[in-house]
Amino acid sequence: MSTASTRLPEGRYGRSSDERADHKLRIAGAVLAAVLVALVGYFAYHYVVEAKISAEVITFQASDNEVKVHLEVHKDAGTSGYCTLRSQAADQSEVGRADFHFGGSATRIDKVVTLRTTARGTTAELLGCHTD
């Protein structure tokens, strides 16, 4: 006597419940991936478009109580903001930090600014620039 199989014939009655669940998971994963790509694109676009100020330290000259920093700023016309500079001593301790404000219609500002220090600074570092 043989035992009758309780399995359905392959392909005769449509998808199994496991296949339907796998299909739903694939759709959910594709939707989540699309949302993630859209968010990354949105933030990347706004990061690039809204970066209206860029600056760089050209040179600096240190003395016992100050550091003179040659700062070059590129910005949109009419944008005002500030750049933060700091100086460190030879032992890496911070000896000075200050914000330097700028504005006006010029798109390029080339200026020597003086950063007061509590001890002899060995560096002049641009920490960043921001709009007002």
Side-chain angles (χ1 to χ4, degrees):
M1 181 153 136
S2 70
T3 308
S5 173
T6 58
R7 287 185 46 200
L8 297 175
E10 293 291 327
R12 182 178 271 185
Y13 298 103
R15 293 185 192 172
S16 71
S17 63
D18 288 342
E19 289 173 336
R20 282 191 295 272
D22 287 346
H23 183 69
K24 288 179 183 177
L25 284 174
R26 283 190 199 130
I27 290 174
V31 168
L32 288 174
V35 168
L36 180 65
V37 166
L39 280 172
V40 168
Y42 173 79
F43 287 117
Y45 173 78
H46 283 283
Y47 177 77
V48 170
V49 169
E50 292 181 7
K52 298 177 182 178
I53 301 173
S54 66
E56 105 182 88
V57 172
I58 306 299
T59 61
F60 68 92
Q61 186 176 25
S63 64
D64 288 338
N65 294 323
E66 66 185 21
V67 176
K68 293 187 183 281
V69 182
H70 180 184
L71 185 64
E72 184 177 300
V73 179
H74 295 273
K75 64 180 188 66
D76 292 340
T79 302
S80 63
Y82 62 95
C83 290
T84 304
L85 296 170
R86 82 168 174 182
S87 182
Q88 293 178 315
D91 64 356
Q92 302 297 316
S93 63
E94 186 175 287
V95 294
R97 179 186 292 242
D99 292 334
F100 294 97
H101 293 271
F102 52 84
S105 61
T107 58
R108 181 177 175 271
I109 300 170
D110 194 8
K111 188 174 181 180
V112 175
V113 295
T114 302
L115 175 62
R116 302 281 180 202
T117 59
T118 58
R120 184 172 186 83
T122 58
T123 65
E125 181 181 6
L126 175 67
L127 297 179
C129 295
H130 305 281
T131 58
D132 284 335

